[in-house]
Amino acid sequence: EPEVTQTPSHQVTQMGQEVILRCVPISNHLYFYWYRQILGQKVEFLVSFYNNEISEKSEIFDDQFSVERPDGSNFTLKIRSTKLEDSAMYFCASSANSGSYNEQFFGPGTRLTVL
Amino acid sequence: AQSVTQPDIHITVSEGASLELRCNYSYGATPYLFWYVQSPGQGLQLLLKYFSGDTLVQGIKGFEAEFKRSQSSFNLRKPSVHWSDAAEYFCASKGNTDKLIFGTGTRLQVFP
């Protein structure tokens, strides 16, 4: 069964460093998403992406964050200058369509630890 | 604003017992509703979804959920819980965009 994959599974970085989290969505999906889950808190939407453009972003997704689809398979989330509060589990998701019958498939997540 | 509430943070049941996890939503129209399960160290797996039509929806692993508009609820049920069902369960809703709004989750513990 096709699945969303994410690398690395765990990333440790120093505060102020740049990190890139990588995702390979399901191959025929066109819509891509990032969510995050701070330890003990709810899963929060960060951004949605379609046709090489951001469709929607939350207030969390500030100028420190960017997303990119550098090739036909990868979807990345970059955090330019990490802060302690960026420590969280980051989930990538993809879907085949948008709107009413949108069903998102999630990857296993990348745990980001900022020291 | 759209929101999802899961009133129970932690539920413990015995294996073989029935289960009901509560979820309430707040949205001006009928939302699209989902239940996801997260096992330790795993991602979010979709159990079931409600878009329209029959208010009782069947999902994977023997789960079902019932949409009740009058109560703004979408409770998850299973008639007989297995030890492997121990996990965190998230209710989520979607309005007129693709953004999923998640509840805070309910951690299910199953005793033998």
Side-chain angles (χ1 to χ4, degrees), chain A residues 4-7 21-25 33-34 73-76 92-93:
Chain A
V4 176
T5 59
Q6 292 185 242
T7 54
L21 309 183
R22 302 181 191 280
C23 168
V24 179
Y33 314 87
W34 284 101
S73 59
N74 288 283
F75 178 52
T76 62
C92 174

Side-chain angles (χ1 to χ4, degrees), chain A residues 56 98-99 102 104, chain B residues 2 27 32 94-100:
Chain A
E56 185 178 3
S98 176
N102 171 271
Q104 297 174 28
Chain B
Q2 191 177 353
Y27 187 59
Y32 304 105
K94 189 176 80 68
N96 58 2
T97 74
D98 289 345
K99 175 175 70 176
L100 284 171

Side-chain angles (χ1 to χ4, degrees), chain A residues 35 56 98-99 101 103-104, chain B residues 36 46 49 51 94 97-98:
Chain A
Y35 292 80
E56 185 178 3
S98 176
Y101 295 95
E103 179 179 334
Q104 297 174 28
Chain B
Y36 284 87
L46 181 67
K49 57 188 181 285
F51 288 147
K94 189 176 80 68
T97 74
D98 289 345

